């Protein structure tokens, strides 16, 4: 490096240090003036944290400050582990509120266990999906946000938390004691051979949920089982919904499929120490295995490194939707008083030299994922599928395996009776506009013949819910069946059921066997 360049860099660093020092002087002086002169006592910790978070939000959404008390959140982020009970919880309006107008107050929200993970403390203690959580360690959940309830459920592994639950079909609330554990969520959420006798060779499927420490080995173990024990000669890797994680884990997964010393991704930052080139380190074990990757708008970061690099290297075909476009690298650095900052230091660039950030990756085959606003949407958001599955589980000791379970016409009719009992009224958005149009037509100078013609459209625009269910029967069977299967076979069983209806997966299999 030349003497002139060294002097220039030193001058820039000195100028930057001066600007930082001046800014801190201003902040400290403001804090001192408010401290001395403000009329009320101040919460300095809260003010400082608010100022830091507001500053970081101006930079990017991924540069984040974690105080010492948020250490467990940071561990969950970087390791996929936390001390808890192992169940997803959810809030919804109390059953006594039939139709809420405007914003629902926190006091009118009830908290439910909706998804206890198989083999985790909550499930082993007997907590079921649909159980209402009344209190945690004697503290009522009324008026608490779902985040506040979740924080109360979490704690040091080995400690005990007592839940008071209310369950449909049981007259009185009851309590369960649960010993918290370090919850490790399986990065391979599901894998299997696609069941289809018409395929020319067995096709393996791996749903990969997150790039946490050790996840690449879990992926490799699943692939080994599919290839050596189950005969897979093609693979669909499902990265839909995978928000990313550790780049080293992504590198190890790519190394399974391409030659050693192949450039996978490069990072470029302001400082030279942030610049790195990542290459595969091992000889590939599955260099010739046909590969298709499923992605969507929630596939981000490490997911985009895996899918984007394998695509650039002509090693995999991508199917789904354009990915999220998170190509920023964060490093976690300790700061004063036990806190940490997760700071963006560089950006990811793929083998084609394209930057992931803000752009994303467009699949070879883009499939429409726009959701129809039909009766299934109304039934889902208003928890009718969930509530019926809760009742179904209470009245059925067992069901067939997820790979073959089917809802009968009689059970669909029973679901319709259930909706009648709950007072379900199906109202389309078009129907709402139709009512307004008729009112306006009566108010304006519209002749009676035209008005009668408009009113004759009402049965078509405001269908009976049974008619709407019959018209969308396949989707109803899929969504309701998925919720029921979850009650008996948990997450892996639910995955085994839903892939039977997965249009993107079916397209991926067709592409594999075509090539």
């Amino acid at each position: 490096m030349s003497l002139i360049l060294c002097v220039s860099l030193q001058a820039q660093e000195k100028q930057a240090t001066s600007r930082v020092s001046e800014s801190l002087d201003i902040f400290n002086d403001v804090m001192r003036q408010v401290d001395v002169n403000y009329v009320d006592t101040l919460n300095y910790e809260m003010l400082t944290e608010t100022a830091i978070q507001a500053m970081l939000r101006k930079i990017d959404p991924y540069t984040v400050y974690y105080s010492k008390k948020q250490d467990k959140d940071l561990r969950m982020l970087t390791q996929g582990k936390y001390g808890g009970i192992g169940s997803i919880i959810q809030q919804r309006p109390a059953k006594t509120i039939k139709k809420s107008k405007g914003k629902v107050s926190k006091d009118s929200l009830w908290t439910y266990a909706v998804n206890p993970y198989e083999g985790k403390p909550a499930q082993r203690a007997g907590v079921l999906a649909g159980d209402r959580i009344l209190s945690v360690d004697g503290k009522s959940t009324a008026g608490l946000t779902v985040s506040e309830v979740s924080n109360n459920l979490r704690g040091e592994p080995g400690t005990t938390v007592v839940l008071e639950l209310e369950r449909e079909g049981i007259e009185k609330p009851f309590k369960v004691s649960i010993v918290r554990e370090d919850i490790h969520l399986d990065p391979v959420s599901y894998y299997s051979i696609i069941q289809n006798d018409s395929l020319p060779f067995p096709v393996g499927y791996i749903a990969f949920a997150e790039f946490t420490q050790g996840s690449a080995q879990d992926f490799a173990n699943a692939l080994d089982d599919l290839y050596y024990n189950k005969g897979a000669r093609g693979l669909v890797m499902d990265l839909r919904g995978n928000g990313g994680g550790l780049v080293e884990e992504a590198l190890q997964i790519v190394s399974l499929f391409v030659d050693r010393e192949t450039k996978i991704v490069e990072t470029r930052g302001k400082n030279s120490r942030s610049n790195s080139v990542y290459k595969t380190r091992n000889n590939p074990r599955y260099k010739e295995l046909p590969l298709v990757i499923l992605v969507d708008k929630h596939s981000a970061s490490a997911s985009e490194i895996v899918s984007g690099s394998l695509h650039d290297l002509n090693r995999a075909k991508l199917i789904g939707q354009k990915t999220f476009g998170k190509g920023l690298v964060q490093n976690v650095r300790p700061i004063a008083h036990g806190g940490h900052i997760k700071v963006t230091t560089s950006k990811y660039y793929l083998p084609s030299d394209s930057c992931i950030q803000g752009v994303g990756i467009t699949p070879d085959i883009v499939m429409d994922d726009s959701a129809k606003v039909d009766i299934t949407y109304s039934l889902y958001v208003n928890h009718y599928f969930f509530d019926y599955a809760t009742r179904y589980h209470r009245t059925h000791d067992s069901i067939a395996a997820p790979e073959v379970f089917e809802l009968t016409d009689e059970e669909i009719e029973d679901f319709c009776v259930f909706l009648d009992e709950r007072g379900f009224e199906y109202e389309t958005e078009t129907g709402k506009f139709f009512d307004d149009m008729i009112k306006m037509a009566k108010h304006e100078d519209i002749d009676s013949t035209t008005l009668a013609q408009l009113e004759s459209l009402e049965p078509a625009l405001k269908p009976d819910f049974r008619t709407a269910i019959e018209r969308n029967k396949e989707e109803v069977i899929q969504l309701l069946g998925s919720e029921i299967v979850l009650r008996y076979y948990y997450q892996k069983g639910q995955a085994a059921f839903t892939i039977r209806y997965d249009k993107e997966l079916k397209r991926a299999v067709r592409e594999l066997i075509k090539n």
Side-chain angles (χ1 to χ4, degrees):
M1 184 182 294
S2 69
L3 179 60
I4 295 175
L5 181 57
C6 284
V7 171
S8 176
L9 289 174
Q10 289 173 357
Q12 290 176 20
E13 289 177 2
K14 185 176 180 180
Q15 187 179 18
T17 301
S18 176
R19 290 200 304 269
V20 170
S21 179
E22 181 180 328
S23 298
L24 289 175
D25 286 343
I26 294 170
F27 180 83
N28 289 334
D29 199 29
V30 169
M31 181 71 88
R32 278 193 296 269
Q33 291 292 340
V34 175
D35 178 34
V36 172
N37 296 298
Y38 188 68
V39 63
D40 292 326
T41 302
L42 300 175
N43 183 332
Y44 303 107
E45 184 183 71
M46 182 272 290
L47 287 174
T48 302
E49 186 164 337
T50 300
I52 291 171
Q53 299 292 19
M55 173 185 69
L56 297 181
R57 278 196 295 272
K58 288 286 186 179
I59 299 173
D60 71 50
Y62 310 108
T63 297
V64 182
Y65 165 67
Y66 293 89
S67 64
K68 184 178 180 180
K69 64 184 179 182
Q70 293 173 300
D71 179 65
K72 60 185 178 184
D73 295 330
L74 185 63
R75 284 199 303 128
M76 178 59 187
L77 178 72
T78 57
Q79 301 174 14
K81 297 179 180 180
Y82 61 90
I85 66 171
S87 176
I88 294 175
I89 63 171
Q90 183 184 83
Q91 285 185 327
R92 50 193 273 200
K95 290 181 180 179
T96 53
I97 305 174
K98 189 170 183 181
K99 286 188 178 179
S100 57
K101 294 183 179 179
K103 189 175 180 180
V104 179
S105 71
K106 290 196 299 181
D107 291 335
S108 62
L109 293 174
W110 287 356
T111 303
Y112 290 85
V114 298
N115 199 346
Y117 286 97
E118 185 177 14
K120 304 305 180 187
Q123 186 263 328
R124 297 201 311 267
V127 177
L128 300 178
D131 286 348
R132 180 188 167 202
I133 303 173
L134 302 178
S135 68
V136 178
D137 282 337
K139 183 178 180 179
S140 173
T141 59
L144 299 182
T145 65
V146 69
S147 178
E148 289 168 335
V149 176
S150 180
N151 286 336
N152 290 338
L153 291 172
R154 292 183 179 184
E156 289 297 318
T159 58
T160 299
V161 60
V162 178
L163 274 57
E164 183 181 16
L165 303 174
E166 180 182 77
R167 181 176 297 168
E168 185 177 340
I170 296 180
E171 187 176 346
K172 295 181 179 180
F174 59 97
K175 295 181 178 180
V176 295
S177 296
I178 305 174
V179 178
R180 297 182 178 97
E181 293 180 2
D182 226 358
I183 302 298
H184 176 66
L185 304 181
D186 192 348
V188 177
S189 54
Y190 179 74
Y191 75 94
S192 72
I193 292 292
I194 302 299
Q195 301 298 321
N196 189 333
D197 294 336
S198 65
L199 295 178
F201 53 82
V203 173
Y205 169 80
I206 300 179
F208 194 66
E210 56 186 2
F211 291 83
T212 49
Q213 191 170 4
S215 59
Q217 186 59 56
D218 291 336
F219 178 89
N221 292 343
L223 182 51
D224 287 346
D225 185 38
L226 289 173
Y227 188 86
Y228 292 107
N229 299 327
K230 297 182 170 63
R233 292 300 178 263
L235 177 67
V236 178
M237 184 194 309
D238 192 347
L239 296 179
R240 291 174 297 182
N242 187 320
L246 303 177
V247 65
E248 286 292 338
E249 302 296 321
L251 182 64
Q252 290 181 48
I253 289 178
V254 176
S255 296
L256 294 169
F257 302 103
V258 298
D259 287 329
R260 185 178 180 180
E261 291 296 314
T262 300
K263 176 183 171 181
I264 300 304
V265 72
E266 181 179 352
T267 62
R268 302 172 193 166
K270 180 169 63 177
N271 300 317
S272 59
R273 62 178 177 270
S274 298
N275 298 339
S276 299
V277 175
Y278 293 86
K279 296 181 179 181
T280 53
R281 300 168 187 155
N282 305 311
N283 292 322
R285 289 154 51 188
Y286 295 99
K287 182 179 178 180
E288 304 299 328
L289 185 70
L291 176 64
V292 172
I293 303 176
L294 298 177
V295 293
D296 66 6
K297 59 186 177 183
H298 302 294
S299 304
S301 184
S303 289
E304 293 174 292
I305 292 173
V306 170
S307 57
S309 62
L310 289 172
H311 180 263
D312 279 3
L313 297 167
N314 296 315
R315 185 60 188 83
K317 180 171 285 189
L318 307 187
I319 293 177
Q321 295 82 46
K322 188 175 182 179
T323 60
F324 184 81
K326 181 184 179 297
L328 301 177
V329 182
Q330 285 84 40
N331 286 329
V332 177
R333 302 183 184 277
I335 58 175
H337 303 292
H340 291 81
I341 184 169
K342 181 165 68 75
V343 61
T344 298
T345 56
S346 55
K347 295 181 179 181
Y348 286 124
Y349 291 80
L350 292 171
S352 61
D353 206 39
S354 59
C355 182
I356 296 171
Q357 177 58 27
V359 180
I361 300 163
T362 301
D364 299 285
I365 300 173
V366 178
M367 298 190 67
D368 181 21
D369 70 332
S370 56
K372 292 191 300 180
V373 184
D374 54 24
I375 191 168
T376 59
Y377 174 82
S378 180
L379 293 171
Y380 178 81
V381 299
N382 291 294
H383 312 288
Y384 286 107
F385 291 136
F386 183 91
D387 288 345
Y388 181 80
T390 299
R391 193 182 79 169
Y392 188 100
H393 186 223
R394 184 164 53 87
T395 56
H396 295 73
D397 292 333
S398 63
I399 61 171
E403 294 80 5
V404 296
F405 174 71
E406 293 278 1
L407 284 166
T408 64
D409 289 342
E410 291 75 15
E411 287 169 330
I412 295 298
E413 173 57 29
D414 185 59
F415 177 57
C416 291
V417 172
F418 169 81
L419 296 177
D420 264 332
E421 293 171 353
R422 294 293 178 96
F424 172 64
E425 297 176 2
Y426 179 44
E427 187 175 18
T428 65
E429 293 299 315
T430 304
K432 294 175 186 177
F433 285 118
F434 177 78
D435 288 340
D436 292 337
M437 183 179 67
I438 293 296
K439 290 176 184 177
M440 184 60 68
K442 290 179 178 179
H443 178 71
E444 294 181 335
D445 188 21
I446 301 297
D447 65 85
S448 58
T449 301
T450 302
L451 186 60
Q453 290 175 337
L454 288 174
E455 290 177 331
S456 69
L457 296 173
E458 183 172 16
L461 297 177
K462 303 178 74 173
D464 171 74
F465 78 77
R466 278 182 164 82
T467 302
I469 285 177
E470 184 62 32
R471 188 164 58 242
N472 298 277
K473 192 172 182 179
E474 183 177 350
E475 288 181 76
V476 171
I477 287 174
Q478 176 185 349
L479 294 170
L480 182 56
S482 172
E483 196 65 60
I484 290 173
V485 167
L486 181 65
R487 298 297 198 279
Y488 296 88
Y489 297 101
Y490 300 95
Q491 292 75 24
K492 285 184 167 55
Q494 186 181 50
F497 177 83
T498 56
I499 64 172
R500 294 160 51 190
Y501 300 88
D502 193 327
K503 294 178 181 178
E504 292 177 355
L505 176 56
K506 290 177 181 178
R507 179 62 185 270
V509 172
R510 289 202 301 271
E511 291 300 316
L512 272 178
I513 62 177
K514 184 171 70 175
N515 297 328

